C-alpha cells in the first residue's frame, strides 16, 4: 500500500513539475489586455457584452453605416449580398449568404463587430452591433419585427442552416492508383 | 558595323527599361549593353535586389476593395523548391498592417493557469526550430471546380508557396502558460484591421504548430504576418493566422466566419463539410505550362512541383499522351515532408499536339485524383480544396494552353 502511495506521490510531483513554467519568459497578462482581446464570441454566446438592439434601430444603423457598400436593400455592391439564398444550397447555383448559409447567429455578431464597417472596423458600439445584426436577421425572415437582440436572445436564434455542416470524411477520393 | 549594331541594341534595351522607370536599373542595363572592358559596376549595397532583367511578379485578381483579395505566385518562373519571400502568395482580408515589433505582444489566455503576455523579443529568446514548409491557400485552384480557370499556372494554381520558417513550437508556449483540463481548442486572432480569427484543435497545437518570426533567413515580411504568425504544417493557409496577437484556450470551436461561411466545402446535397484543414497531395507541371511557347521541336525538360499536407512525396508520374500512359518523373532530393518537391523528366516534342499532366503520390499512399473523380465525389459547388490532376496542351505550333479553360 505505502508503495502505491509513494508512486502516486511521485506521479503528482511529476505533473506539478510539468505544469511549472520552464523558461519563465513574459509577464502575467493584465485584465485590460485580456478584455481588449476578449471580443471572440463563442457559439453558446460566451463573450457577448451588455447591450441590446431592435430591428428598427438596426435599419438606421444599416442605412448610415452599411448601405453604401452592401446596397440599400442589402442586395450587395462593393460588399457581398447579405440577404436571400435560402433553399438554394442544394442547387446548381447556390447563394451563400448570412441568411442561407451561416450556421450560428453569434458568428454574425462576432464578424460584424470585429470586421465591419469594412473601412472602419471597431466603429460600432455593442448596442449598434446587436441592432444591425437584428436587422439582417429580420430581412432574412429569421426573426420578427419586434424581436430584440441581446446577450441572452442572440445565441438562441436558430439560423436556417444550423444543421447544414458535416464532418469532413476525406480522403474521399484519390486513394487508389489508376493503372 | 560593330558599333551601329551595339548602339541599336543599347537603344532597344533602353526603351525596354524606360517603361520600368527605375534610375538604378537604367544605369545597370545601359552598362550591361555597353559591355566596355574596364567599366566599374555599381557599388555594393545594404539590401539586395534581383537583376533588372528579371520580371517575374505576383498577379493579383481584381477585387472591388484593394485591401481584400489574393495575389498569386508566378510558379511558371520558379526554379528549385523555395519561393522568394517577395513572390510568396498573399491572401488578406483587411490590408497589411504596419506593426512595430517593439509594441507588439502575444497574449495567451482563456483556460490556462498563467495567462501570459510575451514580447516578440522574448519569443525569439526561446528554443526555436526551422522547417521548410509549403503553404497553400484552401482556395487554391478553386476555379477548377467550375472549369473557369486561369490561362496559366500562376492564375490557376499560384496560391501556393514554399518557405523556410523559423519559430517557437506552440506546444512550448502552451506548457509555459499551463493548459487547464477541459481546454480542447485554441482560438487564434490576428492584429489586422478585421482581427482575423480561426479555431484550431488543441491536439494539433500540441503536435507541430510554430509561432513563427522568421522566413527564408530573415524576419517575416509584413505581408506574411510580421512580426508573428502561426505556421501549421500541412493545413490550409487561412488557419495560419498572421500578425498573431492572441491565443485563447477554450472548450469549443468558435465557429468563426472563416471556418463556417468560408473555407467549407458545399456538397451536392446542400450540406457543407467543415474543418477541412489538411491540404491533400497535389502537383502541377510548371514547364511547359499555359501561356508559354516552345520555340521548336526537340528535347525539353518537363518540370513541375508536387507537395502534400500529409507528408513526403513518394513519386510523381507524368503523362504526355493525355493520361493513357504514365512514366515516373525524376525527383529532386532531399524530399522534405510537406514541402515543394521538384520533379523533372526529359521529353522530346515532335511537333504534334501533346496533352501533358503530372500525378503525385504521397507517402501515405494517397494519389492525386482526376478532376472528374473529385467532381464525382463532391460536385462543383465546393469552391475549396481542389487538388485534381492538371492538364496542359502543347499544340503543334509550340503554344501551350490550359485544357480546362
Amino acid at each position: 500500500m505505502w508503495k502505491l502511495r509513494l508512486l502516486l506521490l511521485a506521479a503528482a510531483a511529476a505533473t506539478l513539475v510539468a505544469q511549472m513554467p520552464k523558461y519563465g519568459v513574459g509577464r502575467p497578462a493584465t485584465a485590460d489586455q485580456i478584455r481588449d482581446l476578449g471580443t471572440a464570441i463563442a457559439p453558446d454566446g460566451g463573450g457577448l457584452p451588455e447591450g441590446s438592439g431592435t430591428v428598427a434601430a438596426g435599419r438606421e444603423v444599416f442605412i448610415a453605416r452599411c448601405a453604401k457598400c452592401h446596397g440599400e436593400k442589402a442586395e450587395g455592391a462593393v460588399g457581398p449580398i447579405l440577404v436571400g439564398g435560402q433553399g438554394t444550397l442544394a442547387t446548381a447555383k447556390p447563394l451563400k449568404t448570412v441568411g442561407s448559409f451561416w450556421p450560428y447567429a453569434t458568428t454574425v455578431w462576432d464578424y460584424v463587430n470585429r470586421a465591419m464597417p469594412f473601412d472602419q472596423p471597431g466603429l460600432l458600439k455593442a448596442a449598434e452591433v446587436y441592432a444591425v445584426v437584428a436587422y439582417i436577421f429580420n430581412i432574412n425572415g429569421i426573426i420578427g419585427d419586434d424581436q430584440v437582440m441581446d446577450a441572452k436572445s442572440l445565441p438562441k436564434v436558430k439560423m436556417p442552416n444550423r444543421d447544414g455542416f458535416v464532418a469532413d470524411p476525406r480522403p474521399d477520393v484519390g486513394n487508389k492508383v489508376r493503372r | 558595323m560593330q558599333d551601329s549594331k551595339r548602339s541599336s541594341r543599347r537603344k532597344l534595351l533602353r526603351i525596354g527599361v524606360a517603361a520600368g522607370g527605375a534610375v538604378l536599373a537604367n544605369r545597370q542595363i545601359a552598362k550591361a549593353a555597353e559591355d566596355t572592358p574596364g567599366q566599374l559596376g555599381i557599388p555594393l549595397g545594404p539590401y539586395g535586389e534581383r537583376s533588372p532583367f528579371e520580371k517575374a511578379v505576383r498577379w493579383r485578381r481584381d477585387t472591388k476593395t484593394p485591401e481584400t483579395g489574393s495575389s498569386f505566385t508566378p510558379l511558371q518562373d520558379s526554379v528549385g523548391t523555395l519561393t522568394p519571400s517577395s513572390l510568396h502568395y498573399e491572401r488578406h482580408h483587411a490590408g497589411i498592417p504596419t506593426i512595430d515589433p517593439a509594441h507588439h505582444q502575444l497574449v495567451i489566455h482563456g483556460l490556462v493557469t498563467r495567462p501570459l503576455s510575451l514580447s516578440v523579443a522574448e519569443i525569439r529568446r526561446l528554443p526555436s526550430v526551422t522547417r521548410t514548409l509549403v503553404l497553400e491557400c484552401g482556395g487554391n485552384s478553386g476555379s477548377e471546380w467550375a472549369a473557369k480557370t486561369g490561362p496559366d499556372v500562376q492564375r490557376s494554381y499560384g496560391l501556393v508557396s514554399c518557405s523556410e520558417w523559423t519559430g517557437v513550437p506552440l506546444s512550448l508556449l502552451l506548457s509555459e502558460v499551463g493548459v487547464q483540463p477541459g481546454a480542447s481548442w485554441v482560438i487564434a486572432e490576428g492584429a489586422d484591421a478585421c482581427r482575423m480569427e480561426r479555431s484550431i484543435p488543441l491536439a494539433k497545437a500540441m503536435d507541430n504548430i510554430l509561432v513563427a518570426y522568421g522566413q527564408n533567413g530573415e524576419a517575416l515580411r509584413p505581408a506574411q504576418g510580421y512580426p508573428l504568425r502561426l505556421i501549421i504544417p500541412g493545413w490550409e493557409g487561412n488557419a495560419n493566422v498572421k500578425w498573431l496577437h492572441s491565443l485563447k484556450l477554450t472548450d469549443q470551436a468558435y465557429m468563426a466566419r472563416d471556418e463556417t461561411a468560408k473555407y467549407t466545402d458545399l456538397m451536392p446535397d446542400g450540406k457543407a463539410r467543415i474543418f477541412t484543414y489538411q491540404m491533400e497531395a497535389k502537383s502541377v507541371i510548371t514547364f511547359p505550362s499555359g501561356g508559354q511557347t516552345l520555340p521548336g521541336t526537340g528535347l525539353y525538360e518537363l518540370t513541375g512541383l508536387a507537395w502534400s499536407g500529409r507528408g513526403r512525396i513518394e513519386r510523381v508520374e507524368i503523362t504526355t499522351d493525355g493520361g493513357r500512359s504514365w512514366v515516373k518523373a525524376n525527383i529532386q532530393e532531399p524530399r522534405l515532408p510537406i514541402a515543394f518537391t521538384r520533379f523533372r523528366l526529359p521529353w522530346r516534342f515532335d511537333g504534334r499536339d501533346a496533352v501533358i499532366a503530372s500525378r503525385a503520390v504521397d507517402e501515405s499512399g494517397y494519389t492525386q485524383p482526376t478532376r472528374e473523380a473529385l467532381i464525382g465525389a463532391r460536385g462543383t459547388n465546393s469552391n475549396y480544396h481542389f487538388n485534381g490532376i492538371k492538364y496542359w496542351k502543347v499544340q503543334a505550333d509550340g503554344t501551350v494552353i490550359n485544357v480546362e479553360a
Side-chain angles (χ1 to χ4, degrees):
Chain A
M1 199 58 204
W2 63 269
K3 254 188 190 165
L4 182 67
R5 227 174 260 158
L6 211 67
L7 269 175
L8 283 175
L9 214 67
T15 324
L16 207 67
V17 169
Q19 283 174 354
M20 292 297 284
K22 185 168 171 193
Y23 301 99
V25 288
R27 70 214 58 74
T30 65
D32 277 358
Q33 277 180 309
I34 293 172
R35 192 171 346 95
D36 284 353
L37 297 167
T39 54
I41 308 301
D44 63 9
L48 279 171
E50 308 252 294
S52 69
T54 62
V55 173
R59 182 179 298 113
E60 289 187 359
V61 175
F62 191 85
I63 296 300
R65 301 286 185 206
C66 324
K68 71 162 175 172
C69 291
H70 290 282
E72 293 282 317
K73 298 196 157 62
E75 74 276 16
V78 166
I81 183 170
L82 300 177
V83 66
Q86 287 178 44
T88 67
L89 295 181
T91 69
K93 280 213 164 71
L95 178 60
K96 295 194 259 180
T97 72
V98 172
S100 69
F101 194 57
W102 294 35
Y104 291 94
T106 47
T107 307
V108 188
W109 202 99
D110 176 278
Y111 181 70
V112 169
N113 181 55
R114 73 174 56 242
M116 292 293 138
F118 182 75
D119 51 354
Q120 285 169 287
L123 179 78
L124 301 188
K125 298 193 175 61
E128 294 174 299
V129 180
Y130 281 118
V132 79
V133 164
Y135 175 68
I136 294 173
F137 292 159
N138 179 256
I139 58 175
N140 277 285
I142 298 168
I143 65 169
D145 295 349
D146 301 328
Q147 256 174 285
V148 177
M149 287 294 109
D150 58 26
K152 278 215 164 61
S153 60
L154 182 96
K156 294 203 189 101
V157 172
K158 190 169 183 217
M159 299 297 275
N161 198 38
R162 171 69 183 78
D163 303 320
F165 290 82
V166 293
D168 174 20
R170 294 178 320 157
D172 51 354
V173 269
N175 250 3
K176 281 182 216 87
V177 185
R178 243 182 342 128
R179 289 271 168 218
Chain B
M1 185 61 205
Q2 193 69 0
D3 265 347
S4 74
K5 216 161 131 191
R6 199 179 271 174
S7 84
S8 67
R9 185 177 155 222
R10 204 180 305 163
K11 220 186 262 164
L12 256 174
L13 282 164
R14 284 212 175 113
I15 291 163
V17 166
V23 177
L24 188 68
N26 251 329
R27 265 177 51 203
Q28 262 174 287
I29 290 182
K31 276 216 160 83
E34 278 159 20
D35 58 32
T36 319
Q39 281 258 345
L40 284 175
I42 60 167
L44 296 69
Y47 198 84
E49 272 185 45
R50 64 180 173 179
S51 159
F53 297 102
E54 292 302 314
K55 303 288 182 212
V57 287
R58 286 185 291 232
W59 172 79
R60 79 157 298 207
R61 181 179 283 150
D62 260 351
T63 48
K64 292 172 192 156
T65 38
E67 300 85 2
T68 172
S70 35
S71 71
F72 296 63
T73 294
L75 296 176
Q76 70 281 7
D77 299 314
S78 81
V79 296
T81 53
L82 288 178
T83 309
S85 302
S86 342
L87 294 176
H88 196 290
Y89 87 85
E90 300 168 283
R91 174 76 180 98
H92 311 309
H93 296 78
I96 303 162
T98 303
I99 298 176
D100 178 350
H103 301 301
H104 188 81
Q105 297 276 316
L106 170 62
V107 178
I108 311 179
H109 56 118
L111 295 174
V112 301
T113 310
R114 293 171 295 276
L116 263 192
S117 177
L118 297 128
S119 71
V120 178
E122 284 160 348
I123 287 173
R124 292 180 72 135
R125 278 168 57 190
L126 291 167
S128 297
V129 295
T130 293
R131 280 194 73 178
T132 297
L133 291 165
V134 77
L135 196 62
E136 181 177 17
C137 178
N140 189 27
S141 44
S143 53
E144 302 273 314
W145 287 111
K148 276 187 268 159
T149 85
D152 51 40
V153 68
Q154 177 168 21
R155 281 176 270 186
S156 56
Y157 274 65
L159 291 177
V160 61
S161 302
C162 186
S163 288
E164 186 202 80
W165 304 99
T166 296
V168 174
L170 178 52
S171 59
L172 185 158
L173 295 173
L174 292 181
S175 48
E176 284 294 290
V177 295
V179 175
Q180 289 182 355
S184 52
W185 291 81
V186 183
I187 315 301
E189 186 182 283
D192 48 344
C194 67
R195 314 230 276 190
M196 233 287 304
E197 171 198 24
R198 280 297 297 258
S199 308
I200 293 147
L202 180 61
K204 180 71 173 177
M206 295 308 286
D207 180 18
N208 61 3
I209 296 180
L210 294 182
V211 172
Y213 52 78
Q215 179 186 9
N216 295 331
E218 60 181 351
L220 297 174
R221 293 289 171 97
Q224 291 307 320
Y226 182 85
L228 296 174
R229 77 170 303 169
L230 289 182
I231 286 293
I232 311 183
W235 283 19
E236 64 182 4
N238 182 267
N240 294 243
V241 173
K242 302 189 288 262
W243 313 293
L244 183 72
H245 74 172
S246 167
L247 293 169
K248 181 179 184 179
L249 281 285
T250 66
D251 60 359
Q252 58 194 305
Y254 268 30
M255 299 295 174
R257 184 246 197 174
D258 278 307
E259 60 208 17
T260 52
K262 308 282 165 184
Y263 301 97
T264 50
D265 297 350
L266 186 59
M267 296 294 112
D269 66 358
K271 300 278 184 212
R273 293 177 180 178
I274 193 168
F275 297 131
T276 297
Y277 293 113
Q278 197 171 46
M279 301 303 289
E280 299 189 297
K282 190 161 169 178
S283 71
V284 67
I285 294 179
T286 55
F287 176 83
S289 62
Q292 295 174 332
T293 304
L294 300 182
T297 55
L299 185 85
Y300 293 94
E301 185 175 64
L302 301 181
T303 185
L305 293 164
W307 63 95
S308 168
R310 286 203 179 87
R312 285 187 179 77
I313 290 297
E314 172 95 20
R315 65 174 187 280
V316 178
E317 297 157 330
I318 288 182
T319 180
T320 55
D321 57 11
R324 273 192 297 280
S325 62
W326 296 84
V327 288
K328 252 168 102 165
N330 303 318
I331 291 208
Q332 176 64 59
E333 303 286 349
R335 315 167 199 218
L336 302 175
I338 319 178
F340 270 171
T341 300
R342 171 74 58 183
F343 61 86
R344 303 180 174 99
L345 189 73
W347 171 63
R348 200 164 283 282
F349 174 47
D350 61 10
R352 278 178 301 185
D353 282 5
V355 175
I356 62 171
S358 62
R359 173 169 79 184
V361 181
D362 71 18
E363 63 182 336
S364 78
Y366 176 93
T367 303
Q368 184 180 3
T370 61
R371 175 167 177 268
E372 293 69 33
L374 281 172
I375 289 174
R378 301 184 204 161
T380 54
N381 289 339
S382 60
N383 291 350
Y384 303 99
H385 307 110
F386 180 93
N387 67 325
I389 291 170
K390 178 73 195 161
Y391 285 92
W392 306 111
K393 184 173 178 186
V394 184
Q395 304 183 108
D397 64 356
T399 55
V400 188
I401 58 165
N402 185 349
V403 174
E404 263 89 35

